[in-house]
Amino acid sequence: MATDTANAPRPMGGPWGFKIAGVGAALPEKILTNEDLTAWMDTTDEWIRERTGIEERRIGGSTSGLSTEAAQLALADAGVEASDIDQVILATTSPDHICPGTAPAVARELGILAGAFDLQAACSGWVYGLVMANGLLLQGMDRILVIGAESLDRITDYHDRGTGILFGNGAGAAVVERAEPGHGELLSWDLGSNGNYVHILYADHGGVLQMDGKEVFRQAVTVMQRSATASMDKAGLTADDIDLVIPHQANVRIVESAWKKLGFSMDKTAMVLARTGNTSAASIPLALDDARRAGRISDGDIVMFLGFGAGMTWASAIVRWAE
Ligand code: COA
């Protein structure tokens, strides 16, 4: 626990800064390439690359194991100890068990004796977690671990041409902490859902992902455009003000289509999709980790996180980055 008063609410509306102090990522070792899939599926590497932008994905590992690995790297990156964490939020669609949540086991592995819960908002989950973390900072906490992790190979049929080409495993984690007021900041956010589209992407208990790919594509482009616009409007920003967009990595054509109306460029977009496939809740923190390591984010930069997923859910958040 960072302070004895971590649970004492602060007055709302105070100028509490928001900083992503450390990030980490983990991918399982086993690579499943497009070429591998052609051994048992009527598809080609060329088709998958052209229609999705994906070249390979990772399989194996577990949601708790990948979470723990990514979180350890995030804690080290932030220079903090397990005892400094006030809360663990684990966004996942593929928990180790239906019950209990995976977050308590991850907290145990990390040596964190704080609250820990899973958050299920599909591929939007990590951005939902980021916004929840900001709320917890306002409630008096100092430092929150927000993880997005998946072992989607457990709910993916790699013989299905519609879904088997897309999904993979991975985890990304971020340590979110209070910053000096006026330094790092969560400038705006937008969370939404439309349960009328539950049926276009789902997995039943014991089943695998079922998807109406074309409808998901259409909805994804629409909600990304809407949510990004809502967050920019709330923050009084335009596309030109955004230094880097980190979108959910589902299909590069979805991103390119959404960007047309939004006026974003691929140059200012963080992508890891080609080598990860769609890792649902892990995809945005995986791309964040990659962008950060590549030196693409500097102090004061305006960074937008933009996700969508089954539900349908969507989420965007704009952060003034603080080093
Ligand atoms: N390999 C080769 N050919 C394939 C194929 C595959 N894996 N899947 C479909 N095809 C063929 C179809 O049979 C069809 O052939 P036809 O024209 O002779 O009938 C053609 O390619 C087009 O199929 P279609 O299903 O219309 O493909 P698509 O362009 O919609 O692409 C997806 C399919 C799944 C790649 C695409 O719909 C998609 O990415 N949707 C969004 C999914 C998503 O992002 N989900 C996660 C959300 S978080």
Side-chain angles (χ1 to χ4, degrees):
M1 194 68 85
T3 67
D4 291 340
T5 55
N7 288 322
R10 295 192 174 93
M12 296 299 286
W16 315 116
F18 172 103
K19 175 177 177 178
I20 296 181
V23 292
L27 291 170
E29 274 177 26
K30 191 163 172 34
I31 297 173
L32 184 64
T33 65
N34 292 347
E35 206 58 49
D36 292 335
L37 289 170
T38 64
W40 58 83
M41 191 191 281
D42 180 17
T43 190
T44 61
D45 173 45
E46 194 190 5
W47 192 95
I48 302 172
R49 280 175 199 250
E50 271 178 14
R51 305 303 291 171
T52 70
I54 297 169
E55 295 170 19
E56 60 188 39
R57 67 290 293 142
R58 301 292 181 107
I59 54 171
S62 66
T63 297
S64 58
L66 293 166
S67 294
T68 303
E69 206 183 319
Q72 279 164 340
L73 292 168
L75 292 174
D77 188 37
V80 300
E81 304 291 332
S83 55
D84 295 321
I85 298 297
D86 294 321
Q87 183 74 40
V88 179
I89 302 175
L90 170 52
T92 186
T93 307
S94 47
D96 282 6
H97 309 282
I98 290 174
C99 174
T102 305
V106 173
R108 178 200 62 210
E109 289 304 305
L110 295 167
I112 294 173
L113 298 170
F117 67 95
D118 288 9
L119 188 164
Q120 161 59 296
C123 309
S124 314
W126 187 81
V127 183
Y128 267 68
L130 215 55
V131 177
M132 299 304 115
N134 185 57
L136 291 171
L137 294 179
L138 292 169
Q139 290 292 321
M141 288 189 179
D142 288 321
R143 204 165 281 110
I144 298 127
L145 186 57
V146 186
I147 307 168
E150 303 287 2
S151 45
L152 293 175
D153 60 356
R154 294 172 53 228
I155 54 167
T156 300
D157 176 1
Y158 286 103
H159 287 82
D160 174 19
R161 291 206 304 176
T163 55
I165 58 170
L166 300 177
F167 299 106
N169 296 0
V175 174
V176 173
E177 65 181 29
R178 238 170 341 121
E180 287 303 311
H183 192 35
E185 224 176 324
L186 178 62
L187 296 170
S188 64
W189 50 269
D190 172 65
L191 304 181
S193 75
N194 183 350
N196 290 317
Y197 291 99
V198 163
H199 62 283
I200 65 173
L201 180 53
Y202 66 93
D204 284 327
H205 284 296
V208 291
L209 287 162
Q210 308 289 333
M211 183 178 74
D212 176 347
K214 277 199 183 314
E215 192 56 31
V216 170
F217 195 112
R218 258 193 298 273
Q219 292 301 325
V221 172
T222 304
V223 301
M224 278 179 113
Q225 288 172 342
R226 263 198 226 136
S227 190
T229 303
S231 277
M232 286 191 291
D233 287 352
K234 281 185 203 170
L237 299 172
T238 67
D240 289 343
D241 299 315
I242 312 289
D243 295 298
L244 187 70
V245 190
I246 307 185
H248 171 46
Q249 317 275 308
N251 181 327
V252 72
R253 292 192 302 123
I254 292 178
V255 175
E256 287 165 351
S257 303
W259 274 202
K260 276 184 194 147
K261 221 185 211 173
L262 286 166
F264 293 151
S265 74
M266 290 307 284
D267 290 351
K268 288 182 170 185
T269 304
M271 295 298 293
V272 289
L273 174 75
R275 58 180 197 278
T276 62
N278 182 344
T279 56
S280 191
S283 90
I284 292 177
L286 278 171
L288 166 63
D289 182 74
D290 186 75
R292 189 134 171 285
R293 273 170 206 289
R296 296 182 69 192
I297 309 179
S298 309
D299 190 53
D301 275 0
I302 306 292
V303 179
M304 175 188 281
F305 302 102
L306 178 57
F308 65 90
M312 299 272 303
T313 59
W314 58 87
S316 56
I318 302 179
V319 168
R320 186 193 310 280
W321 191 269
E323 282 297 336

